[in-house]
Amino acid sequence: MSERIAEPDIDRISPTRRPDERPVMYQRWQQLLFLHWSFPPEVVAPLLPPGLTLDTFDGLAWVGLVPFTMRGVRPRGLPAVGFLSDFHETNVRTYVHFKGKDPGVWFFSLEAANAIAVRIARAWFKLPYHYAGMELIVGAQGESLAYRSERRWPGPTPATCAVRCTPKGNTSTSIPGTLQHFLVERYFLYSTAHGVLYRGQVHHTPYQVRGADVEGLDESLLAAAGIPRPPEPPLALFSEGVDVDVFRLKRVEM
């Protein structure tokens, strides 16, 4: 993984520290496959809302396609409840900052296989969630994984994803300043509603990450977001998962 330094010079350590407040929600993210492609900044920048700036590495923007599984999703003070708390998800995202600080994620779309969770996330967190039919098939010894997603509503459609992968190598945490750290260690998210910019925050231990071989990829989620996927294969990383504390959404003063 590259040892070059991300651009511009932004504090990327402070966001990894736990906020001094109580979470509003708890989750576990499992079996995350991080697929990433690089783009010239001028391809991605016009898709961002006012107030956010692309966060680049070696002068390039990065777009990620991330399928994974949510487990134990619950508000603070309430128990997890079966199908309401456990479901698959896939997101398409890029990396941004606000006036040279608070590097985070901008989501072009998020697919979830839970219609109730979709409605709650769209209302509470102002995020572009879509309800999708999804499945994850894990090989007998966990040596391979096959993710599938097909968007149901709202549009645009078609917006699908089918990917097979085999994790490989030893796991490790990401070293600050590397491309791997730039791509996976993100603790802020941004969203908008009615012209207002919001910032959310999560906290978890650093990901234990390893590489992955992608044996098959057929997707139209990037195209549905207005992003032309490059012909090159993606950079692929895999993590078994982390326990996550979610904090309240806050308005960003422009």
Side-chain angles (χ1 to χ4, degrees), residues 73-176:
V73 177
R74 64 180 182 89
R76 187 184 71 232
L78 294 176
V81 180
F83 75 95
L84 291 175
S85 299
D86 300 337
F87 51 90
H88 303 306
E89 183 167 324
T90 300
N91 62 61
V92 177
R93 66 200 220 179
T94 193
Y95 305 102
V96 297
H97 59 83
F98 178 73
K99 297 182 179 180
K101 62 182 181 179
D102 299 338
V105 173
W106 173 257
F107 291 105
F108 295 112
S109 65
L110 305 97
E111 318 294 303
N114 184 318
I116 295 174
V118 166
R119 290 189 172 96
I120 291 173
R122 291 179 74 94
W124 288 5
F125 291 98
K126 323 297 183 186
L127 290 169
Y129 265 89
H130 303 261
Y131 176 56
M134 309 179 79
E135 67 177 353
L136 169 60
I137 300 174
V138 181
Q141 304 299 320
E143 73 281 2
S144 64
L145 302 99
Y147 305 82
R148 184 192 66 82
S149 176
E150 182 176 0
R151 183 179 295 174
R152 305 285 173 77
W153 53 258
T157 58
T160 64
C161 177
V163 57
R164 300 187 310 276
C165 77
T166 301
K168 63 179 183 180
N170 297 321
T171 63
S172 65
T173 57
S174 304
I175 300 171

Side-chain angles (χ1 to χ4, degrees), residues 4 17 20-21 27 55 74-75 91 98-99 117 132 135 143 147 150 166 174 202 209 217 225 241 247 251:
R4 292 167 290 186
R17 301 185 181 119
D20 186 20
E21 58 183 282
Q27 306 173 353
D55 195 3
R74 64 180 182 89
N91 62 61
F98 178 73
K99 297 182 179 180
E135 67 177 353
E143 73 281 2
Y147 305 82
E150 182 176 0
T166 301
S174 304
V202 301
V209 180
L217 173 62
F247 298 87
R251 180 170 178 158

Side-chain angles (χ1 to χ4, degrees), residues 39-56 59-63 94-96 106 108 226-228:
F39 291 81
E42 59 268 22
V43 173
V44 183
L47 303 176
L48 300 181
L52 293 180
T53 302
L54 274 176
D55 195 3
T56 61
L60 294 172
W62 290 81
V63 173
T94 193
Y95 305 102
V96 297
W106 173 257
F108 295 112
I227 302 168

Side-chain angles (χ1 to χ4, degrees), residues 187-191 198-202 247-250:
Y187 297 83
F188 288 116
L189 62 89
Y190 291 90
S191 61
Y198 296 90
R199 181 176 59 244
Q201 188 170 5
V202 301
F247 298 87
R248 66 183 179 89
L249 202 63
K250 299 178 182 179

